[in-house]
Amino acid sequence: MRIDEESEGVSASRNHLVFAYYVTGHGFGHATRVVEVVRHLILAGHDVHVVTGAPDFVFTSEIESPRLFIRKVLLDCGAVQADALTVDRLASLAKYSETAVVPRASILKTEVEWLTSIKADLVVSDVVPVACRAAADAGIRSVCVTNFSWDFIYAEYVMAAGSNHRSIVWQIAEDYSHCEFLIRLPGYCPMPAFRDVVDVPLVVRRIRRSRKEVRQELGIEDDVKLVILNFGGQPAGWKLKVEFLPPGWLCLVCGGSDTQELPPNFIKLAKDAYTPDFMAASDCMLGKIGYGTVSEALAYKLPFVFVRRDYFNEEPFLRNMLEYYQGGVEMIRRDLLTGHWKPYLERAISLKPCYEGGINGGEVAAHILQETAIGKNYASDKLSGARRLRDAIILGYQLQRVPGRDMAIPEWYANAESELGMGSPTCEMSEKSSLMNSCTEDFEILHGDLQGLSDTMTFLKSLAELDSMYDSDKSAEKRQMRERKAAAGLFNWEDEIFVARAPGRLDVMGGIADYSGSLVLQMPIKEACHVAVQRNHPSKHRLWKHALVRQQAEGKNPTPVLQIVSYGSELSNRGPTFDMDLADFMDGDQPMSYEKAKKYFSQDPSQKWAAYVAGVILVLMTELGIRFEESISLLVSSTVPEGKGVSSSASVEVATMSAIAASHGLSISPRDLALLCQKVENHIVGAPCGVMDQMTSACGEANKLLAMLCQPAEVLGLVEIPGHIRFWGIDSGIRHSVGGADYGSVRIGAFMGRKMIKCAASAILSRSSGAENGPNPDELEDNGFELLETEASLDYLCNLSPHRYEALYVKMLPESILGETFLVKYDGHNDPVTVIDPNRNYGVTAPAKHPIYENFRVKAFKALLTSANSDDQLTALGELLYQHRSQVLRIKATRFTSFRRTDNWRTSTNKSRATCWLDSN
């Protein structure tokens, strides 16, 4: 409805309305669902102006009407694909900035004028952000129709690109906040930018011809198994082969290139083929997940074999819906590309998809849009615009979900009391007692003590439930989480299983100064990672079907295989399972290089997480000469929040290495174990972190701060936390990654600063030594020569005192420098884990200054903690924390509440429920 200050009412009657429908430039899926809504609006007698970058035929092949108007304009770019299965996050942000941010003022001016010229009654967006703002500027109501929003999608990309791109996400959220309400489609992501929501059924294109008619047209008998390959663009250089399909199968190929040659058992469909008819005529579909493919697969009860799309953040929610209705089978990318399709296709045709919901979302949405255009109010007035905007901007971001919580509810709405674990002591004791009794029923403790660790008790209980799940063949188990089903088939329950526990950590003081050699103060947290490991002779190893088929296809006798299941995979859209032959770690008779391993795990970003786990094996092979002759099964379960700066990766590495060491009888000291885990992260994962995370996880103790001098990893002792002091770690909502762009560039800047300081010290020393009358005593303080000699060979930036930095070097360092300029003048920065990009500007002054002053602050903080209790003590500690700036912490003068113990524990269990072996490091 047009809002006109000079007159009330609407600009058109119910019988003839004008809609402006904006369509995102992100793939055909949006255009095809828009077609269904537009078709119903036109059938109702209304004019629809579609603003899109999609080809005309997508709309005109479906709708032949003079009431359809197509305006070819691209106002957002969606997600830029690096290849058919991977989104290029940096390119996506850069392209969006080029498309929608830089020309924003002219876009708004043009759209307001155009909306006024067509006398639009309602603006509809799927899901172009600027359309909502343009509508508001033109005084026209707007509605969004979507299952995701771009603020949610781009929020994850910002972590890789750096915080300077954060304004893009904020602007998108603000644009959406002008929308009156959201028509939300099934399989939706969290979208807090929208105040009001109306849910509708699936929007699905109708079928024109029957299964029998399509098969007759293609000359395919009804008993022939037919798979439709629906990729919307195939991997470059990929060649389909006859042997990809099981005998008696045929494959219909959508979106194949004109020059693509196909084997005789593959049939190329025309580019304008009406895909729904061919889907309904098939027995299953193979492709990548998108709204169109998932909704139509569910509607036609077509089993869907899918391959993950990396950094496509809409996918987890669609995948959850697909799997909930028992319609999905995940295929590993490696098996897609190498043609090991058989086990997945056979599994797919055994499924019984059970979606029984509505498929008339297009009609329902069109009715709501029509009613809104003539004046009906679907929005409530209970929340102000400021509240709407606040909720939108909170996505700073990636919303984190936990099992049992509605994915539509942001976690910051959760009850603070439960988040802080302030439940009734009586309830806690009762719960622990119940868990302890349960554990002793399921397992016999052979060695050690549970120490009251309720999370370890819970993990052991979950292992016992996996055993029961594997033995059960009840239909109810079909709806179990895929991760748990995979884990249930992971172990031989008659044999020993070893379990290790490692906590995350809170960075109290020291921060990213660890790689510059600073003193750091770190505290283990109660959240921890558990890893269960079992070793088996290859002939006894229970392989997943696709791994077994792969070995059989290669004509191999049983060989050692590594299989991993990771719980919580949906939180970061990673694959829940990983498997590889252990022989793949060998390059001839030697372990492969770390560089080759890094490339190996980077082939499929959805499984790159396995580098943190499997990388432990390669490091043990390389550094300690260990050879693994048996198969290994691993289950990883962590409660350490990911992307929150509390060392989720280090806890995984430490727990994994502890469990593997225990299961193979290796004796590794906690310090050495931490240093080995750092090699995993630096050289195989490729994250340039220091060692404090791993050291804290391996060596820390509850209720104490671990004091460590990172030169490279010298534990100075444990600092007792006074009873009147309590530390809080507050989640800022901003995701963190040591592999992110900001972290790496800051580290490079610090190492550049060190190199410049060393060169400057050498130059001063050379000038002073070469003076005719000897050194000028006015230029040098006491012991000046000795200090300059030390600074000319500075191993760690933190060994430079603040007063020397201020007196001699601060004015010599540039605020920033181009990588190429630095390399020409200084040759290199002498950091083994980062590489300078010649075309990038790096900050130098700030990254170099921080660790020099931070080391001084940490020393002062440590001394103050042990000083007399006073208000001055707390004030000084708070001031040092404020100066620290790299963490948001709160220090309170209050009674300290105890944390759970955080040692690492190793456990083994077997089927007899009579063996549970525990040992603390």
Side-chain angles (χ1 to χ4, degrees), residues 595-671:
E595 189 59 34
K596 284 187 178 180
K598 182 178 175 182
K599 292 178 180 177
Y600 178 91
F601 288 107
S602 297
Q603 294 176 84
D604 183 353
S606 71
Q607 292 194 312
K608 187 177 180 180
W609 61 267
Y612 294 97
V613 184
V616 164
I617 294 174
L618 180 60
V619 167
L620 290 173
M621 293 170 67
T622 303
E623 306 298 329
L624 301 185
I626 309 299
R627 295 295 179 266
F628 297 91
E629 306 295 338
E630 293 184 303
S631 290
I632 299 174
S633 296
L634 274 151
L635 173 61
V636 180
S637 177
S638 180
T639 59
V640 183
E642 296 181 32
K644 302 295 184 181
V646 288
S647 301
S648 59
S649 60
S651 64
V652 169
E653 293 154 358
V654 171
T656 300
M657 189 167 287
S658 298
I660 289 178
S663 65
H664 289 78
L666 306 177
S667 179
I668 307 174
S669 71
R671 179 183 182 277

Side-chain angles (χ1 to χ4, degrees), residues 505 514 522 647 650 654 689-698 738:
R505 68 97 186 97
D514 62 338
Q522 306 294 304
S647 301
V654 171
C689 69
V691 74
M692 71 178 186
D693 299 357
Q694 292 82 4
M695 286 291 291
T696 309
S697 189
V738 293

Side-chain angles (χ1 to χ4, degrees), residues 62-115:
E62 283 284 295
I63 305 169
E64 296 180 7
S65 171
R67 294 188 179 279
L68 173 65
F69 304 88
I70 299 176
R71 177 170 167 247
K72 300 302 290 294
V73 179
L74 185 64
L75 297 179
D76 73 0
C77 62
V80 176
Q81 299 282 131
D83 57 46
L85 292 168
T86 305
V87 170
D88 187 327
R89 295 170 292 174
L90 302 185
S92 295
L93 291 170
K95 187 67 174 176
Y96 185 85
S97 181
E98 175 189 327
T99 306
V101 177
V102 174
R104 178 177 173 82
S106 63
I107 287 174
L108 286 171
K109 182 176 183 295
T110 300
E111 295 312 303
V112 169
E113 291 174 354
W114 177 74
L115 290 170

Side-chain angles (χ1 to χ4, degrees), residues 238 241-246 286 305 307 329-346 545-556 579 581:
W238 187 41
K241 300 178 182 178
V242 171
E243 58 267 27
F244 284 13
L245 296 176
L286 171 57
V305 180
V307 182
V329 176
E330 180 175 351
M331 177 185 281
I332 297 171
R333 182 181 301 192
R334 180 174 69 244
D335 288 339
L336 168 75
L337 299 178
T338 56
H340 293 294
W341 294 7
K342 181 179 178 181
Y344 303 99
L345 298 181
E346 290 178 345
K545 188 172 182 180
H546 68 268
L548 179 62
V549 169
R550 188 168 62 244
Q551 278 206 354
Q552 291 172 343
E554 295 170 357
K556 294 180 178 179
D579 63 272
D581 292 342

Side-chain angles (χ1 to χ4, degrees), residues 590-834:
Q590 295 296 319
M592 71 163 62
S593 69
Y594 289 150
E595 189 59 34
K596 284 187 178 180
K598 182 178 175 182
K599 292 178 180 177
Y600 178 91
F601 288 107
S602 297
Q603 294 176 84
D604 183 353
S606 71
Q607 292 194 312
K608 187 177 180 180
W609 61 267
Y612 294 97
V613 184
V616 164
I617 294 174
L618 180 60
V619 167
L620 290 173
M621 293 170 67
T622 303
E623 306 298 329
L624 301 185
I626 309 299
R627 295 295 179 266
F628 297 91
E629 306 295 338
E630 293 184 303
S631 290
I632 299 174
S633 296
L634 274 151
L635 173 61
V636 180
S637 177
S638 180
T639 59
V640 183
E642 296 181 32
K644 302 295 184 181
V646 288
S647 301
S648 59
S649 60
S651 64
V652 169
E653 293 154 358
V654 171
T656 300
M657 189 167 287
S658 298
I660 289 178
S663 65
H664 289 78
L666 306 177
S667 179
I668 307 174
S669 71
R671 179 183 182 277
D672 289 343
L673 187 141
L675 289 169
L676 290 170
C677 289
Q678 185 195 18
K679 289 183 180 295
V680 176
E681 190 139 8
N682 284 173
H683 302 302
I684 300 178
V685 176
C689 69
V691 74
M692 71 178 186
D693 299 357
Q694 292 82 4
M695 286 291 291
T696 309
S697 189
C699 306
E701 288 188 17
N703 309 340
K704 298 175 183 177
L705 299 180
L706 180 72
M708 182 179 68
L709 187 64
C710 302
Q711 299 187 17
E714 307 307 323
V715 174
L716 302 184
L718 295 164
V719 181
E720 294 284 349
I721 300 173
H724 65 288
I725 290 176
R726 182 175 180 177
F727 290 98
W728 292 69
I730 301 174
D731 180 7
S732 66
I734 307 299
R735 284 183 64 82
H736 165 83
S737 169
V738 293
D742 288 344
Y743 186 96
S745 65
V746 169
R747 175 170 178 145
I748 289 172
F751 275 83
M752 284 178 165
R754 188 191 68 159
K755 184 66 175 282
M756 292 176 180
I757 288 170
K758 290 175 66 175
C759 291
S762 296
I764 296 172
L765 196 61
S766 177
R767 288 198 305 271
S768 299
S769 300
E772 289 185 9
N773 300 320
N776 183 353
D778 295 332
E779 292 182 0
L780 301 174
E781 59 183 72
D782 292 342
N783 302 317
F785 273 110
E786 290 82 356
L787 288 171
L788 283 171
E789 287 173 346
T790 300
E791 289 156 6
S793 59
L794 192 66
D795 289 332
Y796 295 97
L797 196 55
C798 287
N799 290 339
L800 182 65
S801 65
H803 87 274
R804 289 287 293 178
Y805 171 75
E806 291 288 350
L808 291 179
Y809 304 113
V810 66
K811 295 180 180 179
M812 298 181 181
L813 298 184
E815 185 175 340
S816 64
I817 190 170
L818 184 67
E820 183 180 25
T821 304
F822 177 87
L823 291 171
V824 169
K825 186 172 182 180
Y826 296 98
D827 188 38
H829 65 324
N830 303 120
D831 181 12
V833 298
T834 58

Side-chain angles (χ1 to χ4, degrees), residues 161-172:
S163 58
N164 54 307
H165 290 277
R166 195 177 304 153
S167 60
I168 291 177
V169 179
W170 285 46
Q171 184 64 71
I172 292 172

